[in-house]
Amino acid sequence: MDSTRALDGLDQRPWPGLEHAYGTAEDVPDLLRALTGEDEEEAEEALEELWSSIVHQGTVYPATVEAVPFLARLAAAGCCTTSLLGMLAVAAEGSDDCCAAVGAQLPLLLPLLEAPEAEVRRAAIWAVGRTEEAGAAEAVGRRYRGEPDGSVRAELLSALIRLDPAGGTELIAEALDPGEPAELRLAAVLAGLEAGVPWSAEQHAALLAVLPANGLLEPGLDEGRDAPLAAVCSALLERDTDKDRAAAFGLLTAALGDAREDVREEALWAADDAVTASRSAPGVLLPLLAPVLDGPTPSAAAMRLLLRLAESLDDSLVEPLVRLAAGEGDLADQALTVLVRAAPERAAPLLAARLADRPGALRTAAGLEGAFPFSGELLAAVRELLASTPERRPDEPLYAMTQRHNQPIHLALLLGQWGERAAPALPELLAALGRASLVVPKVLAGLALEGAARTAAVDALRAAAGSGGTDERLAAARAVYRIDGDPAPLLAALEEALAGEDPYRLRAAVGVAGELGSAALPLLRGLADDGGRELTAPALRADLAVAVAEALWELDGDEVRAVRLLGSAFPAADDLLLPWSAVHAARLVARIGAPAAGLRPVLEGLLEKPEQVPAAVVGLAGLLRREELDGGLLADRLLDGVEVHWRPETVLDALEALGPLDGERLGRLAALAERDRRVVRSGADVDLVVLDERFRDRVRALVQAFDRPRGAKADDDAAS
């Protein structure tokens, strides 16, 4: 097609009335025209704009469907062909309408499977392979037999599996042959997993033979190509069968034992993903890591994995870490960071000896849930470092600058774990008040100071409460109230904070106001009755309303305001109300009880939203008698939805509120604890294993509690 004809009819389309990622699509015609212009820089900018607006991060819009024919014509005319074909592939995956629109362009796209340039053929396969047209599979199959380039054949095989799973799988065994190109063999392994082909010795051998596999295939649009070993192991573990788990662990064992460093590195990242997916993975993988630590240069990937599994390390791994932590540089800091979590008593003297050179270990020690081991040596090191103000080096990288900036915060947090034992550090804490103004006041309040030390701390905090930003003044005033009992500075700081419009600051201030008791009631009532204030983010607005409702109800039993605020919170945020915030609100409904009965229809409406079912059940269980609830149906809804919750413990809150389960449902609950596939899969990577184990322990405790009445009855029957 001639590029001069590619845009015929462009201005007859209803662009101003269509939407893309940034609003009206009236700019799309000019962007498409720019692609055909002589100004290369303008064309490149237009291409970036199109990627950003009509297929924004894989999301498609009404304007995308209208743009598809023009994108296909331009690609066929040789204008930005590779990029536009990629755009069409993304569009086809975005919606059924877009897929149909791309499929309608096959007469223009299929000839590009024969293009002389391999990159064009590859991009054409991506686009054609994501349509649902009958002719696509036949054309891709013909090209597969005649394609000379191994990487392009790999793309053709992947496309065939998507277009014709039954016919495509017949080619997988053939493509696994050791004589085939490495790219094709890897594509066959990935395609077999996508098609659900049972794992075989041939697939095992083929994957190990092509390692290191990172970067072997073009990134394309298929997940896992940037880290094939990790993708394969994760997919096998997701199948959650003994055979597939053994297959995944067999791959990891072989790769971690490989003599090549790049293969071991790839295996470490794959092992990291395996730990996220499988509860049995740590037990299998940890014994394989000791040789990795004994190597010449253990990698960051090894340290990251060990940090995630720190609570499970034994002496065979702790001892090498101690040796590494006594060394120099980033590796020593990483090793000590792992030790802080794995063996804090062993880590404490090492941290004291090199505190200034171990920023990662310091940050981790400061963030521990329990207190890091105290010693006079470590206290002295903390005081010395807190008193220092190192100058920034001209060549200091951003990461190091950030660490230096946060150092006083981490030091203060570490002191805060030790309570009154940290009192000798008062001079350094007072000097650091301006550098860690949100943390130091809280630490000072926990030192149990007396006499002149107490007076010095209160004087410094009063001064801080009278100047600086709102957050800093609030933190200092709160500490004055905790140490001295004087509410005046805190009332003044709260009045300023509650007059603002930042929902995060307002939410924090409401939490502080609860400490003042009745003295804060006028401020909270004013916030509750201020309906004219415009706050950003509906979810945050709703969360704030819940916090104010709870504070008012707890301080003076103000049921009327509390129920009104709760009633506004649920519909105001709709689906945007965070699951944890919704459960928080529902708990308050349950605590208020009968006066909140008017919220029953709101809670019942939440049952239609899977992510809000836990909140609905918690609230309804507090309002209604058990016989009024359809307990079986609600339990099924909760158990069905546990996998979709970013905080699955909210499901356990709801099940606990609902009460004992019958045999089948109790079995489903127990399976959440006993299965191998993890339930907790989102959150900070370093905490996922711990969070999932806590979830598992809570499920087991809940199962035991639910099962106890039946066990007790059986004992009574036997005794009688």
Side-chain angles (χ1 to χ4, degrees):
M1 173 173 285
D2 188 336
S3 62
T4 61
R5 301 288 308 278
L7 300 181
D8 284 355
L10 181 65
D11 293 327
Q12 278 68 59
R13 309 313 302 156
W15 301 108
L18 299 174
E19 296 287 321
H20 59 40
Y22 303 108
T24 177
E26 60 187 359
D27 60 339
V28 170
D30 287 340
L31 294 174
L32 292 170
R33 287 192 187 94
L35 299 181
T36 66
E38 296 182 0
D39 189 327
E40 293 184 6
E41 184 175 344
E42 184 179 344
E44 186 64 31
E45 291 177 359
L47 191 61
E48 291 180 6
E49 285 290 326
L50 286 168
W51 272 104
S52 179
S53 60
I54 66 173
V55 288
H56 182 75
Q57 297 181 355
T59 302
V60 295
Y61 308 87
T64 315
V65 178
E66 288 288 347
V68 162
F70 300 103
L71 299 176
R73 293 178 201 170
L74 288 170
C79 179
C80 306
T81 300
T82 302
S83 187
L84 293 184
L85 287 171
M87 200 179 299
L88 288 168
V90 174
E93 286 204 328
S95 72
D96 291 342
D97 288 344
C98 281
C99 184
V102 175
Q105 304 306 312
L106 281 186
L108 292 173
L109 301 179
L110 291 180
L112 296 176
L113 296 176
E114 311 289 335
E117 304 88 359
E119 64 271 18
V120 173
R121 299 198 301 276
R122 190 180 298 114
I125 296 163
W126 296 341
V128 171
R130 281 162 175 80
T131 68
E132 297 178 358
E133 301 298 314
E138 183 180 352
V140 170
R142 283 197 306 270
R143 184 64 208 176
Y144 178 77
R145 292 300 183 187
E147 175 58 52
D149 186 289
S151 65
V152 178
R153 285 188 73 202
E155 302 296 345
L156 288 162
L157 180 61
S158 298
L160 277 173
I161 292 297
R162 283 191 297 271
L163 293 167
D164 179 18
T169 52
E170 297 177 2
L171 300 174
I172 290 177
E174 175 185 315
L176 291 172
D177 187 277
E180 294 289 359
E183 301 95 320
L184 183 60
R185 283 179 280 156
L186 178 56
V189 171
L190 296 174
L193 282 175
E194 184 176 349
V197 173
W199 189 254
S200 66
E202 290 75 18
Q203 290 168 301
H204 176 92
L207 181 54
L208 292 179
V210 301
L211 294 179
N214 289 350
L216 189 58
L217 293 175
E218 291 291 326
L221 303 179
D222 295 326
E223 294 183 5
R225 290 183 166 211
D226 56 339
L229 180 60
V232 169
C233 291
S234 294
L236 289 170
L237 291 171
E238 286 298 322
R239 292 180 177 180
D240 205 18
T241 69
D242 291 342
K243 179 181 178 182
D244 289 308
R245 271 192 295 279
F249 295 146
L251 287 168
L252 290 171
T253 300
L256 286 169
D258 196 287
R260 294 166 292 174
E261 184 177 349
D262 50 0
V263 173
R264 293 197 305 274
E265 185 74 3
E266 190 169 336
L268 285 167
W269 288 108
D272 196 83
D273 282 1
V275 163
T276 298
S278 166
R279 287 167 169 165
S280 60
V284 175
L285 297 173
L286 280 174
L288 306 175
L289 297 180
V292 175
L293 287 182
D294 288 333
T297 54
S299 68
M303 294 302 170
R304 168 188 161 87
L305 182 57
L306 288 168
L307 183 62
R308 297 187 64 195
L309 302 178
E311 285 75 8
S312 302
L313 304 191
D314 60 19
D315 287 345
S316 68
L317 291 166
V318 167
E319 292 305 324
L321 286 168
V322 169
R323 293 194 296 271
L324 290 170
E328 302 290 338
D330 289 344
L331 179 61
D333 187 26
Q334 292 164 5
L336 186 54
T337 299
V338 178
L339 281 174
V340 165
R341 292 183 61 141
E345 294 290 347
R346 300 290 301 274
L350 293 168
L351 185 60
R354 300 292 295 273
L355 187 62
D357 300 326
R358 302 292 186 263
L362 169 60
R363 182 178 66 251
T364 301
L368 288 181
E369 290 186 5
F372 189 72
F374 173 85
S375 71
E377 293 78 11
L378 185 53
L379 175 62
V382 170
R383 294 182 64 185
E384 180 181 357
L385 190 56
L386 189 58
S388 67
T389 53
E391 296 294 328
R392 181 185 176 187
R393 301 190 308 271
D395 60 341
E396 184 177 30
L398 178 62
Y399 173 75
M401 181 186 69
T402 303
Q403 291 278 27
R404 180 176 53 81
H405 176 76
N406 290 333
Q407 189 179 77
I409 297 172
H410 299 145
L411 291 167
L413 287 171
L414 186 56
L415 290 169
Q417 295 179 13
W418 298 331
E420 59 187 74
R421 290 181 296 179
L426 176 62
E428 291 79 20
L429 284 167
L430 293 178
L433 185 55
R435 291 182 289 145
S437 52
L438 299 181
V439 175
V440 168
K442 184 177 180 180
V443 175
L444 291 172
L447 294 184
L449 300 171
E450 299 291 342
R454 181 177 179 274
T455 301
V458 170
D459 288 346
L461 289 166
R462 286 185 186 278
S467 62
T470 302
D471 296 336
E472 289 77 9
R473 293 178 62 187
L474 187 61
R478 188 182 192 184
V480 170
Y481 179 68
R482 288 182 171 182
I483 298 173
D484 199 47
D486 181 4
L490 184 52
L491 277 170
L494 279 171
E495 187 171 5
E496 178 184 343
L498 293 175
E501 296 184 355
D502 183 335
Y504 289 104
R505 180 172 292 150
L506 286 167
R507 177 69 176 84
V510 169
V512 174
E515 295 185 22
L516 274 176
S518 59
L521 279 173
L523 293 174
L524 291 171
R525 288 170 181 155
L527 183 61
D529 297 337
D530 186 359
R533 196 180 324 187
E534 287 295 326
L535 302 178
T536 58
L540 298 175
R541 210 162 50 231
D543 189 55
L544 175 64
V546 175
V548 175
E550 183 171 37
L552 286 171
W553 185 72
E554 289 183 342
L555 289 176
D556 71 346
D558 192 340
E559 297 166 349
V560 175
R561 278 192 177 91
V563 172
R564 174 171 56 80
L565 287 167
L566 290 171
S568 70
F570 286 114
D574 196 26
D575 289 345
L576 294 177
L577 184 59
L578 300 176
W580 177 247
S581 300
V583 170
H584 182 192
R587 283 177 177 165
L588 183 55
V589 169
R591 290 168 63 195
I592 294 173
L599 295 177
R600 177 177 174 177
V602 177
L603 292 167
E604 289 174 337
L606 291 182
L607 290 172
E608 302 305 315
K609 303 166 185 176
E611 70 279 5
Q612 302 293 15
V613 170
V617 172
V618 168
L620 291 170
L623 291 179
L624 305 176
R625 297 188 304 275
R626 182 170 175 80
E627 55 269 23
E628 295 180 274
L629 295 168
D630 189 342
L633 175 63
L634 293 177
D636 286 338
R637 295 284 301 279
L638 289 166
L639 292 167
D640 289 344
V642 69
E643 308 285 0
V644 305
H645 286 281
W646 69 281
R647 293 190 68 164
E649 67 269 22
T650 61
V651 173
L652 302 187
D653 293 334
L655 287 170
E656 190 168 20
L658 192 60
L661 304 177
D662 61 25
E664 179 184 354
R665 295 181 178 96
L666 191 63
R668 289 184 64 190
L669 178 62
L672 294 176
E674 306 312 323
R675 76 185 199 188
D676 185 73
R677 188 159 47 89
R678 293 197 187 278
V679 175
V680 179
R681 306 288 286 272
S682 61
D685 285 349
V686 71
D687 295 324
L688 284 184
V689 172
V690 172
L691 292 175
D692 184 69
E693 289 302 322
R694 289 179 183 171
F695 175 86
R696 195 179 193 183
D697 290 343
R698 189 177 171 198
V699 170
R700 286 171 171 161
L702 199 55
V703 169
Q704 185 177 14
F706 284 166
D707 204 31
R708 188 176 296 121
R710 286 187 293 165
K713 183 177 185 303
D715 291 341
D716 293 343
D717 291 343
S720 62

